[in-house]
Structure formats: C-alpha cells, structure tokens
Amino acid sequence: MYSQGWRHPDVQSDGENDFDWQVTFARTAERGLFDMIFMADESSLARPISDRDMLSRLSSVAGFEPATLMAALAACTQHVGLVHTMSTTYEQPYYLARQLASIDKISKGRAGWNLVTSGNPNEAANFGVKGGTTLHADRYRRAAEFHHVVTGLWDSIEDDAFLLDKEGGRYLDPEKIHALAHEGEFFSVKGPLRGGRSPQGHPIIAQAGASGEGRDLGSRTADVVFCSTHFIEDAQAFYADMKQRTVAHGRQASDLKIFPGTSIVWGETQSQAEDRFDEISRLYPDEIALENITGAVQLDVSNYDLDGPFPDLPPTRGMQGHQRAISAFAKHNNLSIRQTAQRLASSSKHRVLVGTTQSIVDNLEEWFMGYAADGFVIMNPYRLRSLEDVVTHIVPELQRRGLFRTAYEGKTLRENLGLSRPESRFAATRAVRSPDVG
C-alpha cells in the first residue's frame, strides 16, 4: 500500500490506473508460465485525507476495483490465474459467490479469491461500522461461516442439473437444485445460487492469516496460503505446521499449497543487483518506509527510539503474522526500527533476494527442496521491469534445473496448481441417501 516503485525511472508511474499496462503485466506473467497474478486490495485509502503530505506520495490511491479488473483481464489472457482480494468482514456471501463464479466462467476456470478479514479502521468507516474494527477472533469466526456459505452456494446447483432438452421442453432438473437454508451466527442465506457451478467447481481460495485463528482457517478451507517468512527455518516450521493442520482437518497435505512472499532484485552481477536495490531503497523516505512496516500491523512506533534496539512489540488488531515476521527479521539481523523499515520498504514486508540468476535460483531451490515452500509469491519492487527480469532470467534457469514447468499442465487454475476439483456437497449427500434400484 505504501509502494514507491512508481518513482523508479524505468516504471510507468500510472500503471496501476492504466488498463493497457495491466494487460501487459498479466500477459508477461503468462509468458513466464506463472500460476496466477494476485491483486491485493483494501476498501479505503491507506491514509486519511487529513494526512495530506503522506497521502500525496501514495500510488495506492489509484487502482481498479479488483473483481472488475479480473473479469476484464480474463478476456485478454488464456492461461494465467486471476486472484483478487475480497473481505469477509464487509462483503455479503451471496453477492461474492455469484461474482466469483461468473469470473470463473468468463475465464474458463481461472478465478481465485483471496479470502481476508479486515482490521483497518479506515475500511470500517466506509461500511458504516462505528467504533472501529471488530476483535480479531470475531473476524475469523465470521470468516469461517462466510466460507461455509459461499462454498455451499457454489454447490447448490449440481454440475449436471442443466438438461437443455429442447424436444422435451426441460431446461433443467429441479431435483439437482438445492436450497442452502443456512442460519448461523452472522448470516442467514437461503440460496440456491443463480447461475450454476463454475468450471473449477469452487474458484481457488487463497488466504494469508498467520495467527492461530488464521492458520486454523487456512488449513481447513484454503487451497493456497500466502505467508511472510524471512528465514528458511521459520518457513519450514510454518510449512510443517500448516500441512499437519490440513491433515488433522481430514484433508491431504497436498491439498494446501504454501507460497511465501519473495521480492526479487536481479542483476548480471552481485554488485549490479546491490546497486539496484540501493536505488530502489532510496525511493522510500523514512516516513514512508516506517509506514510500510507499521501500517499493516496498526502499530504506533512514535514512542520508541527509532535508532535503538528493535523492541518487543505488543499484539495489535492488525496483521499479526506480519508483525512476528518483521520482529524476527529485525532481531535476527540486530536492526533498529529505522533500519528494518528501510530494508523491508520495497518488499511489502516480505523477504528480499538481491543477486544474480545463480544465487537467486539457488535460494529458491533450497527453500523448495527443503520443504519450506510449494512455490513463491513474487513481489515486484519496480513493477513490470521486475517481473520481466524474473521471466527473462530466473524462469529459464528454474526450468533448466527441472524445478518449473515448461508449459501449462491444464486449462484451469486448479489443474495448474495440481489440485482436484471439489465435488458438490449436495451431490455427495444425494448419492448416499438415494435408495438402490433394481
């Protein structure tokens, strides 16, 4: 949200607000055989309009509504997945379920939902919520129920419900349409969902919660979990914990893919890469760098010595996983708050790989082969130019080592991720309850 990549001389500054640029970005990712492009989003400005100096620096004021953008990009791409953020805190399940199912149909099975809970008080004010945000645990209970309702709606018309019998005059089989009839703590939703099942059955669900509640929700409901881990030991521990939780919920470990965020700054030599990283870092004034690490976790650091040892931070209502990752990174490297902010400014708080093709791919291979990741969310500190560096230099070396695809495996995002298509919960129930015939 506080990116200063728009200031880089090789960057189109208004790219976030230019559809042609968005198309070029998506097609570049597709040329690199990426699983998906991912659009993070919040339903508010990153700063209140009263903070005019800070607001004047932020490109995140611009940008498209993500579902509209993904539907448009579906018509301009053929293979790459299209995943965007929608919050369970403020959205309504029926509308979200129908919108995502429609994008999945438009894209022929490439849609995905980044399921988030919202702790930003600026968002709350845009949805008529008085008194700030709800408690962390309450948001996750609502999210769990929200997920149950949405997936139930996606299942409420079975795959083979549409007969299209012109001669007999029967468009569909009403026995294969089901009312959800959900009554819960947060929602009352009758259903069924108008429109029928989409190509993937359920669009891909991604999550990024790293708190106890977030890990439990992700391991129970997600197909993909994004995470922030700076060291391989922490990544391996997170990976093992999430896989174990997934199995404990009655799923296969392979049903959940773990993707740590990784910012890549490439150079032909290590020295060139370091110079590029320094150039990017200089784009971030101190106040922006500090906001980049404190904004998401809603932490006021004004009472701390910015140049003293990194302090033990109290828990907040914000992104607790990011807070733990930032603290671990700072203390491991003996950094102050100011130094931590400067090092992480361009990576949206994720780890940064600065190096040559060889050193970067060595690191990615170590994490992948060491059960620290199933893949990576590639952050782009100077946007399209960064992505082009990865596609041109990193992807071919991954392919040469047999670590990355040389062609898309299937037609849908689920197939390309190696995930099975979920069966309708209603079809399974009907199969069990139907009496034998004969």
Side-chain angles (χ1 to χ4, degrees), residues 207-208 210 225-229 235 238 258-262 322 350 367 372 377:
Q207 292 177 36
V225 165
F226 304 141
C227 60
S228 177
T229 46
F238 180 84
I258 310 297
F259 292 166
T262 304
H322 273 305
H350 295 276
W367 279 50
V377 178

Side-chain angles (χ1 to χ4, degrees), residues 108-161:
K108 296 181 172 58
R110 295 184 285 129
W113 168 31
N114 180 39
L115 186 163
V116 303
T117 68
S118 299
N120 184 339
N122 294 325
E123 284 189 287
N126 283 339
F127 290 91
V129 179
K130 298 180 179 180
T133 60
T134 55
L135 293 175
H136 190 270
D138 294 340
R139 296 202 306 269
Y140 274 99
R141 288 204 328 279
R142 177 185 169 98
E145 185 179 339
F146 196 112
H147 170 272
H148 180 75
V149 173
V150 167
T151 54
L153 289 169
W154 283 336
D155 289 342
S156 59
I157 298 181
E158 296 179 37
D159 288 298
D160 57 351

Side-chain angles (χ1 to χ4, degrees), residues 225-352:
V225 165
F226 304 141
C227 60
S228 177
T229 46
H230 292 272
F231 310 105
I232 190 169
E233 298 83 6
D234 294 338
Q236 288 168 329
F238 180 84
Y239 185 97
D241 178 61
M242 291 301 293
K243 297 289 186 173
Q244 290 166 4
R245 288 173 184 252
T246 301
V247 172
H249 286 301
R251 307 171 67 196
Q252 300 294 317
S254 59
D255 290 341
L256 182 68
K257 307 299 182 183
I258 310 297
F259 292 166
T262 304
S263 181
I264 290 179
V265 181
W266 174 87
E268 291 185 3
T269 65
Q270 186 66 35
S271 176
Q272 184 189 61
E274 296 287 351
D275 288 345
R276 286 183 169 185
F277 182 57
D278 289 342
E279 180 185 28
I280 295 165
S281 298
R282 286 194 297 270
L283 301 177
Y284 289 78
D286 278 358
E287 62 270 25
I288 294 289
L290 287 167
E291 279 289 344
N292 219 37
I293 68 164
T294 61
V297 299
Q298 296 180 35
L299 183 70
D300 182 2
V301 297
S302 60
N303 294 324
Y304 295 99
D305 180 0
L306 298 183
D307 297 305
F310 199 92
D312 294 324
L313 302 175
T316 75
R317 289 188 175 188
M319 300 170 69
Q320 296 178 7
H322 273 305
Q323 180 176 327
R324 285 193 295 272
I326 291 166
S327 296
F329 173 78
K331 293 185 177 182
H332 182 272
N333 292 288
N334 196 28
L335 302 176
S336 67
I337 293 177
R338 192 189 309 276
Q339 290 170 326
T340 303
Q342 290 169 341
R343 290 283 297 277
L344 298 180
S346 66
S347 67
S348 298
K349 303 165 284 295
H350 295 276
R351 74 185 186 120
V352 186

Side-chain angles (χ1 to χ4, degrees), residues 67-95:
T68 307
L69 176 63
M70 292 306 178
L73 290 177
C76 302
T77 55
Q78 293 182 309
H79 303 287
V80 71
L82 305 164
V83 180
H84 67 277
T85 298
M86 298 185 80
S87 173
T88 61
T89 306
Y90 304 119
E91 301 286 351
Q92 286 297 315
Y94 189 94
Y95 179 73

